[in-house]
Coordinates of all heavy atoms in Angstrom, one line a residue:
G41 N -61.9 18.4 33.1 CA -63.1 18.2 33.9 C -63.3 16.7 34.0 O -64.4 16.3 34.4
D42 N -62.3 15.9 33.6 CA -62.5 14.5 33.7 C -61.9 13.9 34.9 O -60.8 14.4 35.4 CB -61.8 13.8 32.4 CG -62.3 12.4 32.2 OD1 -63.1 11.9 33.0 OD2 -61.9 11.8 31.2
S104 N -80.2 7.1 32.0 CA -79.7 7.4 30.7 C -78.2 7.2 30.7 O -77.6 6.8 31.7 CB -80.0 8.8 30.4 OG -79.1 9.7 30.9
D105 N -77.5 7.5 29.6 CA -76.1 7.3 29.5 C -75.3 8.6 29.8 O -74.1 8.6 29.7 CB -75.7 6.8 28.1 CG -76.0 7.8 27.0 OD1 -76.4 8.9 27.3 OD2 -75.7 7.6 25.9
G106 N -76.0 9.6 30.3 CA -75.2 10.8 30.7 C -76.1 12.0 31.0 O -77.1 12.2 30.3
A107 N -75.6 12.8 31.9 CA -76.3 14.1 32.2 C -76.1 15.0 31.0 O -76.9 15.9 30.7 CB -75.8 14.7 33.4
K108 N -75.0 14.9 30.2 CA -74.8 15.7 29.0 C -75.9 15.3 28.0 O -76.5 16.2 27.4 CB -73.4 15.4 28.4 CG -73.1 16.3 27.2 CD -71.6 16.0 26.8 CE -71.2 17.1 25.8 NZ -69.8 17.0 25.6
T109 N -76.1 14.0 27.8 CA -77.2 13.6 26.9 C -78.5 14.2 27.2 O -79.2 14.7 26.4 CB -77.3 12.0 27.0 OG1 -76.0 11.4 27.0 CG2 -78.2 11.4 26.0
D110 N -78.9 14.1 28.5 CA -80.2 14.5 28.9 C -80.3 16.1 29.0 O -81.4 16.6 28.6 CB -80.6 13.9 30.3 CG -81.0 12.4 30.1 OD1 -81.0 11.9 29.0 OD2 -81.2 11.8 31.1
T111 N -79.3 16.8 29.5 CA -79.4 18.2 29.5 C -79.4 18.8 28.1 O -80.0 19.8 27.9 CB -78.3 18.9 30.4 OG1 -77.1 18.4 29.9 CG2 -78.5 18.6 31.8
Y131 N -71.9 25.9 31.9 CA -71.6 24.6 31.2 C -72.2 24.7 29.8 O -73.4 24.9 29.7 CB -72.2 23.5 32.0 CG -72.0 22.1 31.4 CD1 -70.7 21.6 31.1 CD2 -73.1 21.3 31.2 CE1 -70.6 20.3 30.6 CE2 -73.0 20.0 30.7 CZ -71.7 19.5 30.4 OH -71.6 18.2 29.9
V133 N -73.2 23.1 27.3 CA -74.2 22.2 26.6 C -75.6 22.8 26.6 O -76.3 22.6 25.6 CB -74.2 20.8 27.4 CG1 -75.3 19.9 26.9 CG2 -72.8 20.1 27.3
Y134 N -76.0 23.5 27.6 CA -77.4 24.0 27.7 C -77.5 25.0 26.5 O -78.6 25.0 25.8 CB -77.7 24.7 29.0 CG -77.1 24.1 30.2 CD1 -76.6 24.8 31.3 CD2 -77.1 22.7 30.4 CE1 -76.1 24.3 32.4 CE2 -76.6 22.1 31.5 CZ -76.1 22.9 32.5 OH -75.6 22.4 33.7
C181 N -77.2 25.0 37.4 CA -76.2 24.0 37.7 C -75.6 24.2 39.1 O -74.9 25.2 39.3 CB -75.1 23.9 36.6 SG -73.8 22.8 37.0
L182 N -75.9 23.3 40.0 CA -75.5 23.4 41.4 C -75.1 22.1 42.0 O -75.9 21.2 41.9 CB -76.6 24.1 42.3 CG -76.9 25.5 41.9 CD1 -78.2 25.9 42.6 CD2 -75.8 26.5 42.2
P183 N -73.9 21.9 42.6 CA -72.8 22.9 42.6 C -72.4 23.2 41.2 O -72.5 22.4 40.3 CB -71.7 22.1 43.3 CG -72.4 21.1 44.2 CD -73.7 20.7 43.4
N184 N -71.9 24.4 41.0 CA -71.7 24.9 39.6 C -70.4 24.5 39.0 O -69.4 24.5 39.6 CB -71.8 26.4 39.7 CG -71.9 27.1 38.3 OD1 -70.9 27.6 37.8 ND2 -73.1 27.0 37.7
N185 N -70.6 24.2 37.7 CA -69.4 24.1 36.8 C -69.6 25.3 35.9 O -70.6 25.4 35.3 CB -69.5 22.8 36.0 CG -68.3 22.8 35.0 OD1 -67.3 23.5 35.1 ND2 -68.4 21.9 34.0
P186 N -68.7 26.2 35.9 CA -67.3 26.2 36.3 C -67.0 26.8 37.6 O -65.8 26.7 38.0 CB -66.6 27.0 35.2 CG -67.6 28.1 34.9 CD -68.9 27.4 35.0
D213 N -79.3 20.9 36.9 CA -78.2 19.9 36.7 C -77.4 19.8 38.0 O -76.7 20.7 38.5 CB -77.2 20.5 35.6 CG -76.1 19.5 35.2 OD1 -75.8 18.6 36.0 OD2 -75.5 19.8 34.1
A214 N -77.6 18.5 38.6 CA -77.0 18.2 39.9 C -75.8 17.2 39.7 O -75.6 16.4 40.6 CB -78.0 17.7 40.8
A215 N -75.1 17.3 38.6 CA -74.1 16.4 38.3 C -73.0 16.3 39.4 O -72.3 15.3 39.5 CB -73.4 16.7 37.0
Y216 N -72.8 17.4 40.2 CA -71.8 17.5 41.2 C -72.3 17.4 42.6 O -71.6 17.7 43.6 CB -71.0 18.8 41.0 CG -70.2 18.8 39.7 CD1 -70.8 19.4 38.6 CD2 -69.0 18.1 39.6 CE1 -70.2 19.4 37.3 CE2 -68.4 18.0 38.4 CZ -69.0 18.7 37.2 OH -68.3 18.6 36.0
C242 N -81.3 16.6 36.6 CA -80.4 15.7 35.9 C -79.2 15.4 36.8 O -78.5 16.3 37.3 CB -79.9 16.3 34.6 SG -81.2 16.7 33.4
C243 N -79.0 14.1 37.0 CA -77.8 13.7 37.9 C -77.0 12.7 37.1 O -77.4 12.2 36.0 CB -78.4 13.0 39.1 SG -79.6 14.0 40.0
S244 N -75.8 12.3 37.7 CA -74.9 11.5 36.9 C -73.9 10.8 37.9 O -73.6 11.2 39.0 CB -74.0 12.4 36.1 OG -73.0 11.6 35.4
Y245 N -73.5 9.6 37.4 CA -72.5 8.8 38.2 C -71.1 9.3 37.7 O -70.1 8.7 38.3 CB -72.7 7.3 38.0 CG -74.0 6.8 38.6 CD1 -75.1 6.6 37.8 CD2 -74.0 6.5 39.9 CE1 -76.3 6.2 38.4 CE2 -75.2 6.1 40.5 CZ -76.4 5.9 39.7 OH -77.6 5.5 40.3
S246 N -71.0 10.1 36.8 CA -69.7 10.4 36.2 C -68.7 11.0 37.2 O -67.6 10.5 37.3 CB -69.9 11.5 35.0 OG -70.3 10.9 33.9
K247 N -69.2 12.0 37.9 CA -68.2 12.6 38.9 C -68.3 12.0 40.3 O -67.4 12.1 41.0 CB -68.4 14.1 38.9 CG -68.4 14.8 37.5 CD -67.1 14.6 36.8 CE -67.2 14.8 35.3 NZ -67.2 16.2 34.8
F251 N -67.7 7.6 36.5 CA -68.3 6.8 35.4 C -68.2 7.6 34.1 O -68.9 7.4 33.2 CB -69.8 6.7 35.7 CG -70.1 5.3 36.4 CD1 -69.3 4.9 37.4 CD2 -71.2 4.6 36.0 CE1 -69.6 3.7 38.1 CE2 -71.5 3.4 36.6 CZ -70.7 2.9 37.7
T252 N -67.2 8.6 34.0 CA -67.1 9.4 32.8 C -67.0 8.4 31.5 O -67.4 8.7 30.5 CB -66.0 10.4 32.8 OG1 -64.8 9.8 33.2 CG2 -66.3 11.5 33.8
G253 N -66.2 7.4 31.7 CA -66.0 6.4 30.6 C -66.9 5.2 30.6 O -66.9 4.4 29.7
R255 N -70.5 5.6 31.6 CA -71.7 6.3 31.1 C -73.0 5.7 31.8 O -73.5 4.7 31.5 CB -71.9 6.1 29.6 CG -70.7 6.4 28.7 CD -70.1 7.8 29.0 NE -71.1 8.9 28.8 CZ -71.1 10.0 29.5 NH1 -70.2 10.1 30.5 NH2 -72.0 10.8 29.3
C256 N -73.4 6.4 32.9 CA -74.6 6.1 33.4 C -75.1 7.4 34.2 O -74.2 8.1 34.9 CB -74.6 5.0 34.4 SG -76.3 4.3 34.8
A257 N -76.4 7.7 34.1 CA -76.9 8.9 34.7 C -78.4 8.7 34.9 O -78.9 7.7 34.6 CB -76.6 10.1 33.8
Y345 N -64.1 22.2 41.6 CA -63.6 23.4 40.8 C -63.3 24.5 41.7 O -64.0 24.9 42.6 CB -64.7 23.8 39.7 CG -65.0 22.7 38.8 CD1 -66.3 22.2 38.7 CD2 -64.0 22.1 38.0 CE1 -66.6 21.2 37.8 CE2 -64.3 21.2 37.0 CZ -65.6 20.6 37.0 OH -65.9 19.7 36.1
R386 N -60.4 28.7 35.6 CA -60.8 27.5 36.4 C -59.7 26.5 36.6 O -59.0 26.2 35.6 CB -62.0 26.8 35.7 CG -62.7 25.8 36.4 CD -63.6 24.9 35.6 NE -62.9 24.0 34.8 CZ -63.6 23.0 34.1 NH1 -64.8 22.9 34.0 NH2 -62.8 22.2 33.3
F390 N -59.3 17.4 39.8 CA -59.2 16.0 39.3 C -57.8 15.6 39.0 O -57.5 15.4 37.8 CB -60.1 15.8 38.1 CG -61.6 15.9 38.4 CD1 -62.4 16.9 37.8 CD2 -62.2 15.1 39.4 CE1 -63.8 17.0 38.0 CE2 -63.6 15.2 39.7 CZ -64.4 16.1 38.9
Ligands
PLP501 N1 -73.2 18.5 33.7 C1 -72.2 19.2 34.1 C2 -72.4 20.5 34.8 C3 -70.9 18.8 33.8 O1 -69.8 19.5 34.1 C4 -70.7 17.5 33.1 C5 -69.4 17.1 32.7 O2 -68.4 17.7 32.8 C6 -71.8 16.8 32.8 C7 -73.1 17.3 33.1 C8 -71.6 15.6 31.9 O3 -72.1 14.5 32.7 P1 -72.1 13.1 32.0 O4 -70.7 12.5 32.0 O5 -73.1 12.3 32.9 O6 -72.7 13.2 30.6

Side-chain angles (χ1 to χ4, degrees):
D42 196 358
S104 83
D105 67 359
K108 185 174 193 172
T109 311
D110 284 356
T111 53
Y131 176 57
V133 171
Y134 322 141
C181 173
L182 296 166
N184 189 260
N185 177 15
D213 185 341
Y216 296 95
C242 301
C243 305
S244 173
Y245 295 96
S246 280
K247 307 300 161 77
F251 270 44
T252 53
R255 313 304 303 144
C256 198
Y345 298 118
R386 190 189 76 171
F390 294 124

